[in-house]
Amino acid sequence: MFLACTALTACASSPDMMRFESEAGLLLRGADFGNATRNNTQIMSGEKSYAIDLANRFAAEVITTVHFSFNSAALDAGARDALREQANWIRQFPEITFRVFGHADAPGTNAYNKALGLRRAHAVVAFLSSQGISRNRLEAVSSLGETQPLVATEARERRNRRAVTEVSGFLRSHPSVLDGKYAQIIFRDYASSAEAAIGTSGIAGSELATDN
C-alpha cells in the first residue's frame, strides 16, 4: 500500500500530470509568466528587447567608459574624445535615455568616494550636454563609489576611477515612443543602415581638353 501511495504521489508531481492539473504554460513560465507585469508588457510591445539590443550595440560600437586621474573629476583629452563618440552615437536614437554611473578606487572613505564618483558622473553628463544631448535624456546620474572595482585592490588603480554610460530605456515623452510605435524606430534604423554612400568619380571635363 505504501509503495502504491508513493507511486501515485510521484505521478501527481510528474510533468505529465502537471499538464492536466495546472494552468496552461506552467512548465514554461518564469517567475511572473502570464501576469500583467511591466516586464511582459515591455516584451510584447518590443520595447524591452529593442532596448537590450541597443544597449549591446552601444557597448560594442563606442567606448562607454572614461577614466580619471586620482582624486579628480576632470575629463582629460582621451575622455573627451570618447564622450564625443558617445554623443555622436546617442544622437542617432532620439528616443533612448541613458544613465551614467560614477566610480572611484579604494583609497579614501566610502562617503568621500561616493561623492567623488557622483562628481565624475556629473562631469560626463555636463560634457554630453555640451555636445547637444538633452539633459532629460540622461535619465539618472548615479555613484557606486568604490563598491564595484574592476581591479580588486586597495591601492590606487586608474581602471577603477571611471564613469560608465549605459542605455537605460525609452524617453516617455517622445511621440514615436508614446504611441507605442517601436516598429517605426526599428525600421528607421534598418533603412538608414542600408543606405549606400553616393558618390561618383571619373574623368573630369578639363582632362579631355587638348593643346592646340
Side-chain angles (χ1 to χ4, degrees):
M1 182 66 178
F2 174 76
L3 292 175
C5 290
T6 302
L8 287 173
T9 302
C11 288
S13 61
S14 70
D16 289 334
M17 290 301 295
M18 290 172 66
R19 290 191 181 96
F20 294 102
E21 297 181 355
S22 304
E23 66 273 20
L26 178 65
L27 299 180
L28 303 176
R29 72 182 182 183
D32 56 3
F33 182 86
N35 296 325
T37 62
R38 180 183 179 191
N39 179 72
N40 287 331
T41 300
Q42 289 176 322
I43 290 294
M44 292 299 292
S45 68
E47 175 182 358
K48 186 167 185 176
S49 61
Y50 188 56
I52 293 171
D53 289 344
L54 280 177
N56 291 335
R57 277 191 57 185
F58 183 65
E61 295 176 8
V62 302
I63 298 172
T64 60
T65 302
V66 296
H67 296 92
F68 297 85
S69 297
F70 181 71
N71 196 28
S72 173
L75 298 168
D76 60 20
R80 292 193 295 271
D81 287 342
L83 292 176
R84 288 189 190 96
E85 289 186 8
Q86 289 186 21
N88 290 336
W89 197 97
I90 290 170
R91 278 193 289 269
Q92 299 177 70
F93 302 95
E95 309 87 358
I96 306 304
T97 57
F98 295 79
R99 181 177 290 118
V100 181
F101 294 93
H103 300 261
D105 53 11
T109 66
N110 290 336
Y112 182 84
N113 284 334
K114 187 167 185 178
L116 179 57
L118 189 59
R119 283 165 40 210
R120 288 168 173 165
H122 276 298
V124 168
V125 169
F127 189 88
L128 291 175
S129 297
S130 75
Q131 300 299 301
I133 307 302
S134 173
R135 290 295 289 262
N136 68 347
R137 297 186 56 202
L138 301 167
E139 184 182 38
V141 178
S142 181
S143 174
L144 298 173
E146 62 186 64
T147 61
Q148 292 188 7
L150 289 179
V151 180
T153 177
E154 294 298 313
R156 297 183 181 185
E157 174 55 58
R158 180 175 174 81
R159 284 170 289 181
N160 292 338
R161 302 192 298 265
R162 67 198 191 279
V164 184
T165 308
E166 297 180 358
V167 172
S168 60
F170 286 92
L171 188 67
R172 292 295 175 184
S173 61
H174 196 280
S176 64
V177 176
L178 188 63
D179 294 338
K181 298 178 181 177
Y182 299 108
Q184 291 183 356
I185 305 172
I186 298 171
F187 177 77
R188 185 197 64 215
D189 185 31
Y190 172 78
S192 63
S193 69
E195 292 177 357
I198 299 174
T200 58
S201 61
I203 301 174
S206 60
E207 296 175 4
L208 298 176
T210 59
D211 296 331
N212 293 329

